[in-house]
Amino acid sequence: MAAGRARRLLGSLWIALLLGQPDPAGAAARSGSQSPLAGSLVKTFTPFYFLVEPTDVLSVRGASVIMNCSAYCETSPKIEWKKDGTFLNLVSDDRRQLLPDGSLLINSVVHSKHNKPDEGYYQCVATVESLGTIVSRTAKLTVAGLPRFSSQPEASSVSKGSSAILNCEVNADLAPFVRWEQDRQPVLLDERVFKLPSGALIISNATDTDGGLYRCVIESGGTPKYSDEAELKVLPDPEEPQDLMFVRQPSSLTKLTGQSAVFPCVAVGFPVPYMRWTRNEEELITEGSGRFLLLAGGSLEISEVTEQDAGTYTCIADNGNDTIEAQAELTVQVPPEFLKRPANIYAHESMDIVFECEVTGKPTPTVKWVKNGDMVIPSDYFKIIKEHNLQVLGLVKSDEGFYQCIAENDVGNAQAGAQLIILDLAPATTGPLPSAPRDVVATLVSTRFIRLTWRTPVSDPQGDNLTYSIFYTKEGINRERVENTSRPGETQVMIQNLMPETVYVFRVVAQNKHGPGESSAPLKVATQPEVQLPGPAPNIRASATSPTSVTVTWETPLSGNGEIQNYKLYYMEKGQDTEQDVDVAGLSYTINGLKKYTEYSFRVVAYNKHGPGVSTQDVVVRTLSDVPSAPPQNLTLEVRNSKSIMLHWQPPPAGTHSGQITGYKIRYRKVSRKSDVTESIGGTQLYQLIEGLERGTEYSFRVAALTVNGTGPATDWVSAETFESDLDETRVPEVPSSLHVRPLVTSIVVSWTPPENQNIVVRGYAIGYGIGSPHAQTIKVDYKQRYYTIENLDPSSHYVITLKAFNNVGEGIPLYESAVTRPHSDTSEVDLFVINAPYTPVPDPSPMMPPVGVQASILSHDTIRITWADNSLPKNQKITDARYYTVRWKTNIPANTKYKTANATTLSYLVTGLKPNTLYEFSVMVTKGRRSSTWSMTAHGTTFELVPTSPPKDVTVVSKEGKPRTIIVNWQPPSEANGKITGYIIYYSTDVNAEIHDWVIEPVVGNRLTHQIQELTLDTPYYFKIQARNSKGMGPMSEAVQFRTPKAESSDKMPNDQASGSAGKGSRPMDIGPDYKPPLGGSNSPHGSPTSPLDSNMLLVIIVSVGVITIVIVVIVAVFCTRRTTSHQKKKRAACKSVNGSHKYKGNSKDVKPPDLWIHHERLELKPIDKSPDPNPIMTDTPIPRNSQDITPVDNSMDSNIHQRRNSYRGHESEDSMSTLAGRRGMRPKMMMPFDSQPPQQSVRNTPSTDTMPASSSQTCTDHQDLESTTGSYLANAQEEDSAQNLPTAHVRPSHPLKSFAVPAVPPAGSTYDPALPSTPLLTQQAPAHPVHSVKTASIGTLGRTRPPMPVVVPSAPDVQETTRMLEDSESNYEPDELTKEMAHLEGLMKDLNAITTA
């Protein structure tokens, strides 16, 4: 029977899939009612709901009450009533009867002290046969108690115009039945006279007619009950003012949303007070607000209360003479409301469904579920999930009916329902059905899951189009659940969420397009028993017993599952990541040796013979506070005047506070009278001005920190002497005694000495400067400063500088000096030019000696302690005067000239806030009174390392050419490495959202910036992250970089896929154009792959042969031309020698190195080429531009792109260690050469962007040095000169052990060259502002990877006249005897070249 039901279910599922309906297995709770599942016998939902539900009722004894209820259904429902959860028998009840609409009528409510049969909770129950049952919300019937007064009115008096209150306190349920009488007549209520909800009567703005006898009456049915009478007297206005006082203050209220709230507030006094209200300390506007009404006497009424009205309300009475306030809280409660109601659901047997229900309210409501009027008790198949939702597993026919979600809290309840219909299954379509699956076995059995596998049915051995449903249930339970395979042809499934040590019965059914087939034989499988580990220890508590100890207690785990052997107590300081533990045999333990006033977390794990159990939750406790364990730091004294001294200090070091610092205790005394100590306790500020001191007296001070526990240790005594007399500030300072200026190229160092009359206060100095006038810029510095550097000046410019001392009265007389900044070319350290009067410094009468023995002690990654000695102190180094020390520090970087400074009055200072793993330099100076020393010798210290605080940057991913399954990851070190990087970790995954522990890890050593990852899947997106590591730990990860591998392993696919970080960097190949030619000497492969060793050797022989022939021809022509030197040229050569000296090269001949030769085609000119000292394998240097026609890049837009590609590959090339000749041939860099057959039609002159110095007469004879790059630079500064035509050429430097041969450009007349300028990388030069000739390019060789072609701009030759002058100049460079020596050297070089090529 079960098999037949399964076949019908699978048939309906199959039809549902064909018709595109949702899969029944996914039929969880829907947001709305579902449509009938396709292939099922249609059965529609039946509307069944309450039109009216009962509400809470307040009644009195003997009255009649109606509890309303009405339900709707197509078939009239049967209405019944429950009271306090029990059905009422209304047939034999003569007082209670059911009305036709379903309401309940209660006649003559019975209520006494011992008999309350009618008071309670009522619920309406509606039932329709064969459909189901629904229940209403519960409603409370409250019967008012017997009339009783808790307070009665008392005789009182009121002044005219004032307010009075008459009390009549009764039970809250009787308050609505209270009314008032005056002189036995009903009191008419209005805006002036009104009754509070509690029953009290308030009369405002009293008149004579308000006097009389008052009483309150309770009319709750039956005989009215009267209170005592009380007389109210109305008095005339008082002549004297009366104190302001409250006769009724507001009290806190709790109200439901929608109700009204009244805060009574009555105040009396003379003059009559004005009443106003605030809410949460904000003025409350009552006029015209609608919901907020100010009642007579000052009471506040809030109608239709909302949640936003909750808060603190303050009643303020003000009569001009006095103001009084009273506060009360308003708490707003909200009955349950539905955010999502359950939805009707269609389902089949064996399916799992979920009814969703979301509610809100205040207090938070609880939720329970009812099925057909009966409470749903949670079990293995009925579960409450996500707090409010009901899940039903393995549906059976009896589960059909109405389900209701009932939410309730302290102030109300509500219900919402939905219908569940179990559909009958339609018969399967005609056609062959599959037979039963074969060999169903459990291949993996655990405590809570089982994996089943099987073979395809005999009827369909391939089984590619078959899907399977697995039915399972607990043994002996008739509820069967179903699990479907995820895709056709799959023959295994994982059944999860099972119970440990339980027997389950499984069977498998296959289905094809015609429907479900036969079921397999039942398979019984028992899950594994769960290891019996202890549960968490309950009631764990931690309490601090002292500043260094905590006692932790707990109880035995409730689910012990075996004898507890011992416990392990874990504890950890809050904010740390290292947990400590201790073994405990009992149920408590005291941990000693903890830090004072520090938070710790504790947890307990119980152990039995099976191992550790479940850990408890962490409990956090702070150790008790104590007195500070260290004194404040860096106490400094500043003498303000003759009667006051300012103290500054810093708190004790972190970790030594031992509690909350509540203040500081300052003790001071005269040095001459050490027994007379004065104490001053201040707040938590880090400074204190001590006033009322004696003139010219030396005082000692010490500071100690305070906590609630007492006073900590104090600092050492620090002394300072007050001034004999206060300095004069009734007039401006006098002129500074001296002014010294020292000009540099772009700055001027100004130094000075203070005015000779030091009895006048100097607050600071004003420095003015400008070209020709000192009024262009003004800078003010502190009075302690004695020098200043004026920055950002123009070279070779005349500046006028003025210095004035100033105080609060004004600026004094200025002192003037002039200076000329040095020219750009002046790099010497010649002191200065001083125009006008020479400088004569005024010596200090007693100069201070600078501190000595400055030492830097490294304490942490951001803290260094500086200590020093002062030779001007006694041998015991005790400071007894008012001197102080200034410590300055900066990073030891030449470009960094900014110092930070701090003052100290002891011989040490703690410098904090430094950068990790950074070298700092420190120096100290001493100041006493108005005199200061020079800075001491510097001390250096490098802070400790810290974990990297930034990720690796510039992460790029490219595929390896010819190996689409291999990629290359490149990156740069972190910006904030905080130490030497010892390694990297590359994470990669196909799922960017996966947990990081699921990513694949590739470690890389720290000196590498590139890594290959092989055997990846084709056409798959991968995500990469990189993490740097130093000796202190791991840094943060970089952003995920995406890269998709190529679709197929094609030999003609160029790996242009490249990805980088969020900036989305990439590279694009240059447009080659239609005139592209294959690389010279390489293969025709579009990859530009390396040539074979044989082709490389042949190419090398051809190049060397052509080079030898060319050199021989050039040498012969050069010798011939040299012998034809004219007498005019000889004279010119002599003139050049008289200007430049007899040396041939710039600089001494002993410094000349002959590693390379530049060969001139017109005249033989051999020049030494110095190797560039830069060993960086990443950057590519180029020779320095030698004239206005040197090469600049064609397109600036390519600079960053090319530079990025070059940096990415360089690091990888260096790792490949291509040091052999064969390696160099195979990995020759790609080079660009022009292939234009026609010369340019016009001459274009490109001017470098760098500033040039003025030309001089000797510059045409200056020899120029050429720098050779050590990294295979792309050089293109060769130039051939011809008066007839300008042939564009390019100088290509190959990666070959042989030295480079090239044609140097001859500088035109008037051009300049500064050999002191640094070499500039080609890629960083600025493009010219005017057009450049376009040059066709071709690729020579390859790097083994695709790179964009490197553009080479070929300049045109100089004009004919200029060329003639240049040739004449160049002819005078060498004498015939010098040329003979160079020829001999060249022959030796040629022999070496031939030996290499033949080898």
Side-chain angles (χ1 to χ4, degrees):
M1 179 178 177
R5 186 176 66 183
R7 282 195 294 271
R8 291 197 302 273
L9 172 61
L10 292 176
S12 67
L13 295 177
W14 171 76
I15 294 174
L17 291 173
L18 288 181
L19 295 181
Q21 296 294 334
D23 181 15
R30 314 288 195 213
S31 59
S33 299
Q34 295 178 343
S35 300
L37 296 175
S40 305
L41 300 179
V42 176
K43 184 177 178 182
T44 60
F45 296 113
T46 303
F48 187 19
Y49 53 88
F50 285 101
L51 295 172
V52 179
E53 295 186 76
T55 57
D56 295 347
V57 176
L58 173 63
S59 181
V60 295
R61 184 176 58 177
S64 295
V65 174
I66 293 180
M67 307 294 289
N68 293 312
C69 179
S70 178
Y72 170 80
C73 187
E74 295 174 354
T75 304
S76 293
K78 175 186 175 183
I79 302 296
E80 298 177 284
W81 281 87
K82 284 183 176 181
K83 177 182 180 293
D84 297 330
T86 303
F87 280 102
L88 292 175
N89 184 7
L90 301 178
V91 176
S92 59
D93 197 328
D94 55 351
R95 285 194 312 107
R96 291 180 284 205
Q97 65 183 52
L98 189 66
L99 299 180
D101 64 347
S103 299
L104 178 66
L105 172 62
I106 305 175
N107 292 308
S108 184
V109 171
V110 177
H111 191 81
S112 65
K113 184 175 182 181
H114 302 290
N115 185 24
K116 302 176 183 179
D118 295 331
E119 193 172 59
Y121 292 91
Y122 289 81
Q123 187 176 39
C124 181
V125 182
T127 305
V128 175
E129 290 297 332
S130 73
L131 187 60
T133 300
I134 58 175
V135 296
S136 71
R137 67 179 299 274
T138 56
K140 183 179 182 181
L141 172 59
T142 304
V143 181
L146 298 176
R148 186 177 292 108
F149 295 103
S150 55
S151 70
Q152 301 194 38
E154 297 177 354
S156 60
S157 60
V158 60
S159 301
K160 273 188 179 182
S162 188
S163 298
I165 184 168
L166 298 170
N167 291 320
C168 181
E169 302 293 338
V170 298
N171 296 338
D173 50 8
L174 290 174
F177 305 104
V178 172
R179 67 178 179 84
W180 282 87
E181 291 181 352
Q182 178 188 8
D183 298 330
R184 306 294 175 93
Q185 297 297 320
V187 174
L188 298 179
L189 302 179
D190 55 19
E191 294 181 354
R192 192 178 66 84
V193 180
F194 71 95
K195 185 187 71 170
L196 293 175
S198 63
L201 183 69
I202 293 180
I203 302 173
S204 64
N205 193 18
T207 63
D208 291 335
T209 59
D210 293 327
L213 296 174
Y214 287 83
R215 68 179 180 179
C216 63
V217 186
I218 301 177
E219 293 180 331
S220 60
T223 305
K225 186 174 182 64
Y226 296 92
S227 71
D228 297 335
E229 286 188 326
E231 183 181 6
L232 176 65
K233 294 181 180 181
V234 179
L235 305 176
D237 289 339
E239 297 180 359
E240 297 294 332
Q242 294 183 350
D243 292 338
L244 197 58
M245 61 178 293
F246 283 114
V247 294
R248 183 65 177 265
Q249 295 189 21
S251 56
S252 296
L253 298 175
T254 299
K255 292 292 180 180
L256 299 182
T257 53
Q259 292 182 341
S260 295
V262 176
F263 284 113
C265 186
V266 180
V268 296
F270 188 79
V272 176
Y274 166 73
M275 311 294 291
R276 58 189 177 90
W277 287 82
T278 63
R279 180 180 64 186
N280 298 331
E281 299 183 356
E282 294 182 1
E283 196 73 24
L284 195 62
I285 307 300
T286 56
E287 294 182 4
S289 64
R291 293 196 308 110
F292 295 93
L293 180 62
L294 189 63
L295 303 176
S299 299
L300 178 67
E301 180 180 15
I302 307 171
S303 58
E304 298 179 1
V305 169
T306 64
E307 282 191 85
Q308 289 71 31
D309 294 333
T312 302
Y313 288 79
T314 305
C315 175
I316 303 173
D318 185 0
N319 66 353
N321 296 331
D322 194 9
T323 301
I324 56 176
E325 297 181 358
Q327 289 185 343
E329 294 285 337
L330 174 60
T331 303
V332 179
Q333 295 182 325
V334 183
E337 295 179 0
F338 287 98
L339 300 177
K340 178 181 286 188
R341 295 172 175 267
N344 297 331
I345 295 179
Y346 284 110
H348 291 293
E349 290 187 81
S350 300
M351 286 174 49
D352 300 341
I353 58 102
V354 174
F355 284 111
E356 290 187 343
C357 180
E358 291 186 24
V359 295
T360 183
K362 190 176 181 181
T364 302
T366 59
V367 169
K368 61 183 179 180
W369 284 86
V370 172
K371 178 208 169 190
N372 289 333
D374 297 326
M375 185 76 65
V376 174
I377 300 174
S379 64
D380 291 342
Y381 294 93
F382 288 86
K383 298 182 178 181
I384 304 298
I385 61 174
K386 295 184 179 178
E387 296 185 4
H388 300 153
N389 298 339
L390 176 64
Q391 183 183 41
V392 185
L393 305 176
L395 290 175
V396 295
K397 190 66 177 177
S398 61
D399 293 331
E400 195 172 60
F402 284 89
Y403 290 79
Q404 289 177 277
C405 174
I406 299 179
E408 57 184 351
N409 62 9
D410 294 341
V411 294
N413 64 91
Q415 62 84 23
Q419 185 179 4
L420 170 63
I421 294 180
I422 306 295
L423 294 175
D424 295 326
L425 302 174
T429 60
T430 59
L433 298 176
S435 58
R438 298 172 292 169
D439 301 337
V440 179
V441 294
T443 57
L444 181 60
V445 179
S446 182
T447 56
R448 295 184 180 272
F449 67 86
I450 291 176
R451 174 178 290 167
L452 294 179
T453 61
W454 57 89
R455 293 172 57 201
T456 56
V458 176
S459 60
D460 194 349
Q462 297 299 325
D464 294 337
N465 297 321
L466 294 181
T467 58
Y468 300 89
S469 294
I470 296 85
F471 295 88
Y472 63 99
T473 181
K474 289 183 183 179
E475 188 178 31
I477 303 296
N478 62 352
R479 280 185 178 271
E480 199 171 44
R481 299 182 62 187
V482 63
E483 185 81 23
N484 297 319
T485 54
S486 58
R487 59 180 181 270
E490 189 174 17
T491 59
Q492 66 174 7
V493 72
M494 182 78 76
I495 308 295
Q496 297 181 338
N497 300 321
L498 303 179
M499 298 298 295
E501 203 170 2
T502 305
V503 177
Y504 287 87
V505 180
F506 298 89
R507 59 189 183 87
V508 183
V509 176
Q511 62 179 0
N512 58 17
K513 61 182 180 178
H514 301 293
E518 298 179 9
S519 172
S520 67
L523 173 68
K524 291 185 179 181
V525 181
T527 53
Q528 296 287 337
E530 202 158 41
V531 177
Q532 300 298 305
L533 294 175
N539 298 329
I540 178 173
R541 294 184 178 88
S543 58
T545 54
S546 76
T548 59
S549 62
V550 170
T551 298
V552 184
T553 62
W554 59 92
E555 296 177 6
T556 305
L558 301 178
S559 55
N561 298 328
E563 182 182 356
I564 301 297
Q565 294 180 342
N566 70 304
Y567 298 90
K568 185 161 285 190
L569 173 61
Y570 295 88
Y571 63 98
M572 179 173 62
E573 182 182 345
K574 203 70 180 291
Q576 301 295 322
D577 54 2
T578 303
E579 197 172 38
Q580 303 180 57
D581 60 82
V582 60
D583 290 326
V584 183
L587 297 176
S588 66
Y589 189 79
T590 299
I591 300 176
N592 298 303
L594 303 179
K595 295 182 180 179
K596 298 178 181 179
Y597 198 67
T598 304
E599 278 193 342
Y600 286 87
S601 62
F602 301 87
R603 64 186 181 92
V604 175
V605 176
Y607 281 71
N608 63 7
K609 62 181 180 180
H610 299 292
V614 181
S615 172
T616 63
Q617 295 292 326
D618 287 357
V619 292
V620 179
V621 67
R622 184 188 293 273
T623 53
L624 300 179
S625 62
D626 198 1
V627 297
S629 57
Q633 306 177 89
N634 299 330
L635 173 62
T636 59
L637 308 180
E638 181 183 350
V639 180
R640 286 294 180 91
N641 50 46
S642 61
K643 294 184 178 180
S644 62
I645 295 177
M646 173 66 78
L647 283 71
H648 289 273
W649 64 88
Q650 291 178 351
T656 64
H657 293 190
S658 303
Q660 193 74 30
I661 299 294
T662 59
Y664 292 90
K665 179 184 291 185
I666 301 170
R667 305 181 69 190
Y668 61 97
R669 66 190 183 193
K670 295 181 183 178
V671 174
S672 59
R673 299 178 60 185
K674 295 187 178 181
S675 60
D676 188 9
V677 177
T678 304
E679 277 192 2
S680 172
I681 298 180
T684 56
Q685 73 272 11
L686 301 177
Y687 59 89
Q688 183 73 36
L689 180 65
I690 305 298
E691 299 180 296
L693 305 179
E694 297 181 6
R695 298 173 182 268
T697 305
E698 187 175 6
Y699 287 87
S700 294
F701 298 84
R702 69 192 309 178
V703 180
L706 299 175
T707 64
V708 294
N709 303 86
T711 307
T715 62
D716 294 333
W717 290 100
V718 180
S719 301
E721 184 178 348
T722 55
F723 296 146
E724 280 289 346
S725 60
D726 291 331
L727 298 181
D728 181 13
E729 200 170 4
T730 59
R731 51 186 175 140
V732 298
E734 295 183 359
V735 63
S737 55
S738 67
L739 174 63
H740 181 109
V741 293
R742 180 172 179 266
L744 301 174
V745 177
T746 59
S747 61
I748 296 177
V749 180
V750 182
S751 58
W752 62 90
T753 53
E756 293 182 357
N757 184 1
Q758 297 190 6
N759 294 322
I760 303 177
V761 173
V762 176
R763 300 288 180 185
Y765 296 91
I767 304 170
Y769 65 94
I771 298 178
S773 170
H775 307 300
Q777 299 284 342
T778 301
I779 297 170
K780 292 189 175 182
V781 297
D782 188 72
Y783 76 93
K784 298 178 183 177
Q785 199 154 335
R786 294 294 179 266
Y787 66 91
Y788 184 80
T789 302
I790 305 174
E791 305 283 356
N792 302 319
L793 304 181
D794 296 331
S796 304
S797 300
H798 182 279
Y799 283 89
V800 179
I801 300 163
T802 180
L803 177 72
K804 293 178 285 186
F806 67 87
N807 56 20
N808 291 333
V809 177
E811 295 180 344
I813 303 172
L815 192 62
Y816 291 91
E817 277 293 358
S818 297
V820 176
T821 52
R822 301 178 184 174
H824 256 311
S825 59
D826 188 358
T827 59
S828 63
E829 291 300 324
V830 179
D831 194 7
L832 53 95
F833 297 95
V834 177
I835 303 177
N836 298 338
Y839 164 71
T840 304
V842 177
D844 195 314
S846 56
M848 298 288 292
M849 295 293 292
V852 297
V854 181
Q855 293 184 350
S857 304
I858 319 301
L859 301 183
S860 69
H861 67 276
D862 64 349
T863 306
I864 295 180
R865 180 179 294 279
I866 307 302
T867 57
W868 60 88
D870 190 346
N871 284 345
S872 61
L873 292 175
K875 289 185 179 181
N876 60 5
Q877 292 289 289
K878 185 175 182 180
I879 302 173
T880 58
D881 51 20
R883 72 180 64 199
Y884 66 91
Y885 300 89
T886 302
V887 182
R888 72 173 184 180
W889 66 92
K890 75 176 185 71
T891 56
N892 193 22
I893 301 174
N896 182 18
T897 58
K898 294 183 178 180
Y899 283 93
K900 291 186 177 181
T901 60
N903 291 338
T905 54
T906 61
L907 296 178
S908 68
Y909 185 78
L910 198 66
V911 182
T912 59
L914 304 178
K915 296 180 180 179
N917 194 45
T918 304
L919 176 61
Y920 285 87
E921 65 176 39
F922 303 87
S923 53
V924 186
M925 67 180 291
V926 60
T927 302
K928 180 179 179 182
R930 300 292 178 177
R931 297 178 291 110
S932 300
S933 73
T934 59
W935 291 104
S936 68
M937 299 290 287
T938 58
H940 296 81
T942 302
T943 50
F944 293 150
E945 293 186 359
L946 186 67
V947 294
T949 52
S950 68
K953 59 184 181 180
D954 299 338
V955 181
T956 58
V957 184
V958 296
S959 61
K960 187 169 184 179
E961 184 175 349
K963 294 184 178 180
R965 293 179 182 271
T966 301
I967 59 95
I968 301 172
V969 185
N970 305 287
W971 64 92
Q972 293 298 317
S975 302
E976 299 173 1
N978 298 338
K980 180 181 179 182
I981 298 299
T982 59
Y984 297 92
I985 293 181
I986 301 176
Y987 300 81
Y988 64 95
S989 171
T990 56
D991 181 8
V992 71
N993 296 318
E995 294 292 335
I996 197 63
H997 56 72
D998 293 331
W999 291 48
V1000 183
I1001 294 177
E1002 290 274 349
V1004 183
V1005 294
N1007 59 355
R1008 293 171 63 97
L1009 297 176
T1010 184
H1011 187 70
Q1012 289 189 15
I1013 300 176
Q1014 301 176 352
E1015 300 301 326
L1016 299 182
T1017 306
L1018 295 177
D1019 193 22
T1020 302
Y1022 284 86
Y1023 298 88
F1024 298 85
K1025 297 182 181 180
I1026 303 184
Q1027 192 178 24
R1029 177 181 70 245
N1030 61 17
S1031 63
K1032 294 297 181 180
M1034 305 298 298
M1037 293 186 186
S1038 65
E1039 292 292 329
V1041 174
Q1042 183 183 6
F1043 178 82
R1044 179 178 287 275
T1045 50
K1047 292 185 177 180
E1049 299 192 12
S1050 173
S1051 61
D1052 59 352
K1053 179 175 177 63
M1054 296 188 68
N1056 287 331
D1057 255 346
Q1058 176 173 336
S1060 65
S1062 58
K1065 299 177 182 175
S1067 63
R1068 57 177 181 86
M1070 289 198 51
D1071 188 5
I1072 299 177
D1075 297 331
Y1076 171 75
K1077 298 181 181 181
L1080 295 179
S1083 67
N1084 293 329
S1085 169
H1087 297 289
S1089 56
T1091 58
S1092 64
L1094 182 59
D1095 294 340
S1096 300
N1097 293 334
M1098 182 62 68
L1099 179 62
L1100 183 61
V1101 171
I1102 294 174
I1103 292 175
V1104 172
S1105 302
V1106 173
V1108 171
I1109 296 173
T1110 304
I1111 292 173
V1112 172
I1113 295 174
V1114 169
V1115 170
I1116 296 174
V1117 174
V1119 172
F1120 176 75
C1121 294
T1122 303
R1123 294 184 178 181
R1124 297 182 57 186
T1125 304
T1126 62
S1127 60
H1128 173 74
Q1129 293 165 344
K1130 290 181 180 181
K1131 292 179 180 180
K1132 195 165 188 176
R1133 181 169 63 245
C1136 289
K1137 288 185 178 182
S1138 66
V1139 175
N1140 296 336
S1142 59
H1143 57 0
K1144 186 177 354 177
Y1145 306 104
K1146 189 165 187 175
N1148 296 331
S1149 60
K1150 66 180 181 180
D1151 297 326
V1152 173
K1153 301 176 184 178
D1156 201 356
L1157 298 175
W1158 296 95
I1159 302 181
H1160 197 291
H1161 280 215
E1162 276 70 32
R1163 297 290 181 265
L1164 187 61
E1165 179 178 354
L1166 305 177
K1167 301 185 180 181
I1169 307 301
D1170 289 339
K1171 292 277 187 178
S1172 170
D1174 185 8
N1176 187 356
I1178 304 298
M1179 296 301 295
T1180 303
D1181 294 341
T1182 62
I1184 301 170
R1186 291 173 293 174
N1187 56 31
S1188 62
Q1189 295 175 333
D1190 272 347
I1191 296 167
T1192 57
V1194 172
D1195 188 1
N1196 270 346
S1197 65
M1198 292 178 56
D1199 289 357
S1200 60
N1201 201 3
I1202 297 171
H1203 203 175
Q1204 173 192 349
R1205 294 288 295 254
R1206 179 180 303 181
N1207 288 348
S1208 300
Y1209 289 118
R1210 280 293 182 185
H1212 191 67
E1213 291 166 20
S1214 64
E1215 293 171 11
D1216 293 342
S1217 302
M1218 294 298 185
S1219 59
T1220 63
L1221 183 58
R1224 292 176 180 264
R1225 292 170 180 171
M1227 297 296 288
R1228 184 177 295 115
K1230 183 177 293 186
M1231 297 169 288
M1232 307 307 302
M1233 295 187 64
F1235 275 75
D1236 286 4
S1237 58
Q1238 298 297 329
Q1241 298 302 316
Q1242 60 181 354
S1243 174
V1244 178
R1245 193 168 303 212
N1246 300 335
T1247 306
S1249 59
T1250 55
D1251 296 336
T1252 57
M1253 298 297 293
S1256 62
S1257 61
S1258 64
Q1259 286 166 345
T1260 58
C1261 302
T1262 304
D1263 296 334
H1264 306 293
Q1265 281 185 328
D1266 295 306
L1267 300 179
E1268 175 186 353
S1269 169
T1270 63
T1271 59
S1273 308
Y1274 298 98
L1275 301 178
N1277 53 6
Q1279 179 178 343
E1280 289 190 350
E1281 298 173 356
D1282 192 355
S1283 60
Q1285 62 176 1
N1286 301 327
L1287 292 177
T1289 61
H1291 170 194
V1292 180
R1293 186 181 300 277
S1295 297
H1296 193 279
L1298 299 179
K1299 293 299 177 180
S1300 303
F1301 295 86
V1303 182
V1306 179
S1311 67
T1312 62
Y1313 169 65
D1314 187 357
L1317 291 175
S1319 65
T1320 306
L1322 177 62
L1323 295 177
T1324 61
Q1325 297 181 10
Q1326 299 295 322
H1330 45 266
V1332 183
H1333 293 301
S1334 62
V1335 180
K1336 299 176 184 177
T1337 60
S1339 173
I1340 301 179
T1342 179
L1343 190 61
R1345 301 167 184 82
T1346 303
R1347 288 192 181 180
M1350 179 64 66
V1352 179
V1353 180
V1354 181
S1356 55
D1359 296 338
V1360 176
Q1361 296 178 355
E1362 290 181 333
T1363 305
T1364 304
R1365 287 197 301 270
M1366 287 187 287
L1367 289 175
E1368 291 175 353
D1369 294 343
S1370 63
E1371 288 173 357
S1372 63
N1373 287 338
Y1374 290 97
E1375 291 294 329
D1377 54 345
E1378 295 173 346
L1379 184 61
T1380 304
K1381 295 179 182 179
E1382 296 295 344
M1383 286 296 296
H1385 182 75
L1386 179 62
E1387 289 177 1
L1389 181 63
M1390 292 301 298
K1391 291 179 181 180
D1392 296 339
L1393 180 63
N1394 291 331
I1396 294 174
T1397 55
T1398 54

